[in-house]
Amino acid sequence: MFNEANTVEAFIRDILCGKITQTAPPQPGLSRKNRKINGVGWNYLPSQNIPRQPQEVFVETFVRDALIRLNPEITAKPNLAEEVLYRLRAIVLSVRSDGLIRANEEFTIWLRGDRTMPFGHNHEHTTVRLIDFDNLENNQYILTTQYTYRAGTEERRADLVLLVNGFPLVVIEAKTPVRKAVTWVDGALQVHDDYEKNVPELFACNVFSVATEGKELRYGSIRMPVDLWGPLRTDDNIPLSSLAALKDAIASLHSPAVILDILNYFTLFATDKKKRRIKIICRYQQYEAVNKIVERVVAGRPKKGLIWHFQGSGKSLLMVFAAQKMRMRSQLRNPTVIIVVDRLDLDAQISSTFHASDIPNLVKAETCDELEKLLKQDTRKIIITTIFRFGEAKGVLNPRENIIVLVDEAHRTQEGDLGMKMRAALPQAFLFGFTGTPINQRDRNTFYAFGAEEDERGYMSRYGFEESIRDGATLPLHFEPRLVELHIDKDAIDQAYSELTGELSELDRETLTKAVSKMAVLVKVPDRITNICADIAQHYLQKVAPNGFKGMVVTYDQECCLLYKAELDKHLPPEASEIVISATGKDERLKPYHRNRDQEEKLLDRYRDAKDPLKIIIVTAKLLTGFDAPILQAMYLDKPLKAHTLLQAICRTNRTYGNTKTHGLVVDYLGVFDDVAQALDFDEQGFQQVVSGINTLKNELPGAVQKCLAYFPGVDRNLSGYEGLIAAQDCLPNNNVRDNFAADYNNLTKLWEAISPDPILINYQTDYKWLSQVYISVQPTTGMGKLLWHALGAKTIELIHQNVRVEAVRDDLEEIILDAELLEVVLNSSDPRKKAKEIEIKVATRLRQHINNPRFRALSERLEALKERHEQGQIHSVAFLKDLLDLARDLLQTEKDTPPEVEDDRGKAALTELFLEVRNEQTPKMVERIVNDIDEIVRLVRFPGWQKTSAGEREVKQALRKTLFKYKLHQDKELFEKAYGYIRQYY
């Protein structure tokens, strides 16, 4: 039999320790090269042979040896090693009090060799080296399996651990490769939700963790949400779907040189918008691009390169990593790194990224004079400035060779004199251009300015649409045309639009001005604005708000912003929308919208906050580039945009947001997407995959429904109760078929959520509801298989909750077990298979009610194992029935042994956490009283199984609303939904 230990775990061990020959990369890159080597440099040592106790995080014997080996002062006085070990133990002990991130940050400083001790002559402070980064052969590299760590009563065993000089730097969680529903996600969740929470000390010195099931490999840093864990690709031509295809990825990522490179140069500790400390490590495309830049600068040629990484895939962080590594590399002799942007909003975004990451020696050149002064004084720092600061530069500002210029949005910044002036001011500098949109092959200027002849297709590093969406770094974009009934004069608007966006040159001022004025008149027809704003409000409330996302309206000009705001206020509360513009003109109506940078950032932080009532921002030019708000899903586009400008604008919607956002959406009121290929006019192949029309999704829906229904040939879908459910489940006889059904249903539910509430769904509603209920009924009770067995979307849940047939979920399990006569009937049943199936459904339904309670986890695992043995023919139906009855008895006993107050306390604890989280100056501080009131009133109105009936849900919702009204919290819809969700779960 195949399992995780003898397949994935053993495979990784043998690759890294030399039993399997694989293609390995030259260090420190991650890309594939045809060079065969045995092993990656790790030595296997069984965990029982490692000299440590289970309560010790690192191996003190190995650490002591490394300290003596790498530090001359400690070599001379080996006892000094104990003082360092004392400091390191103290960091581990601080994990519980200071938090894992803070402890890991302090440990990282030590690992990088950035801490000193008074070990020198006359107690002078000298650097303490725990790892030799200059000569990697001086370090000890050990791979071990089943690495056990114990913290108090908690004990966990990691599948594989990589130790450098005794420090567990990498934890690898391997999962079985033979079960479709078990994926890297389950391994990552085990690390994130279990290990890091219950034995956080184990991760005090962690660089990153890895999860794989032998098909896909993902890695992430401590406390990084699992949906942000990044993949590793070594060759785009080889799909990662098997152990063999993973060989190079495993060898590349786990190379000692790569791990230490990431530790030293590609790890950041930043402060997020909520003032929380977070750890950031590089994605593989950032790692490769940075090392290509550094290699060129170290080699001295070529002195330029063009980097195209798709919008939203982390260009700002790429620049941070590049600047950090170049500043720290001794071969570059203390270089100057200049970050050049072309807009103030990009300046603010990149500056905030650098400042949040605590990058040292960072300055901003706010004026031409400041920039000139910094360069002429030969400042050796990271300088952030805009391209316009070079506008008044006269002659050479600095002729030094080790000046590296990183130019953001390179396709825009090099037009006219500014690019030439920058080059003249820094004649010997390295120039690297960054862009988030592809360069049209006809636009030779950008290729000429930054592309090196040595680079294939003109790019030094390319991370395009397809790669970004495939890796989950960004989301696909859907567009929805809404123009036919909203065009007042389609022919006239089409003519003006085509003149405005056609091949007019900037010199055709008169023609352009006429087109602009004609267009302005047409788009501002009052009836048109009335209709569009009504449509936006309806669309937002039906399709975007239910899933907790926000919107952006892009209008023709600043006057349109005012007109749309006034009209939207007729359909939505005034606080639901806000205008964001550069209100610098003389128009008095715009003055209320003039904000300084701090005021604007506070407003945008409110917009990014899911709990804030601000749901829609109205813009015309501002925020179309550089604005990052993952909660933004829908852009309502009523402005003619094209090519780079269009792509940058619509990509505001493509950022990932938890695991509920599946796509970005552009609602098109002008026909911008009538011809997608013309709208996105690039020669690069692959851009068509970025956008797909809602009509395309509608066309896919019938096939997706039929594909799911095909699993149930001959089943009467009108049959209700257990008869109908058993008939459906009989068509899903084993894990393999169930997982295939889950994968197809997963695709269907994404289509449904994207299309809803389109009237086309009415024709499929009955079938979809039936499929959804079957899907829920066969979900594993253990909560595993997160990738396939996902949480249903808001619109699907709403559909299922409508008119739920109570008899289908009736639970009389206790009667079956306690009635001796009935037991005799059950065991002597003429159809024990059917009776076993009925009891299995009841046990599974009951276990799902406790899915988040660890007391019931063993029972859930027992049920899944029992079902698998029965499906494989290892036990017959009567034995299966008896085992199920035994399991049911244990389940009821466990419920009795779990005091009601334990469940109740969990409910009150969850509600308390929720109300503490949302509390602010306006919210009452009597959180305990609010929670007690909710707890008390819900207990009065609830009854067993209330969640499964419309009347029960109605009563509990009314009770909750009354309590929130008492504390003046009734208008917060999101708070109500969250609180109600906790009540459903815990009461």
Side-chain angles (χ1 to χ4, degrees), residues 699-725:
N699 293 336
E700 293 176 15
L701 183 69
V705 172
Q706 287 306 314
K707 193 171 185 180
C708 289
L709 291 176
Y711 286 91
F712 310 98
V715 173
D716 182 0
R717 295 197 293 281
N718 293 314
L719 196 61
S720 63
Y722 283 111
E723 297 287 334
L725 204 53

Side-chain angles (χ1 to χ4, degrees), residues 565-581:
K565 168 67 176 162
E567 198 63 38
L568 280 173
D569 285 351
K570 296 176 183 177
H571 304 278
L572 300 169
E575 64 271 17
S577 63
E578 189 56 85
I579 295 172
V580 182
I581 52 175

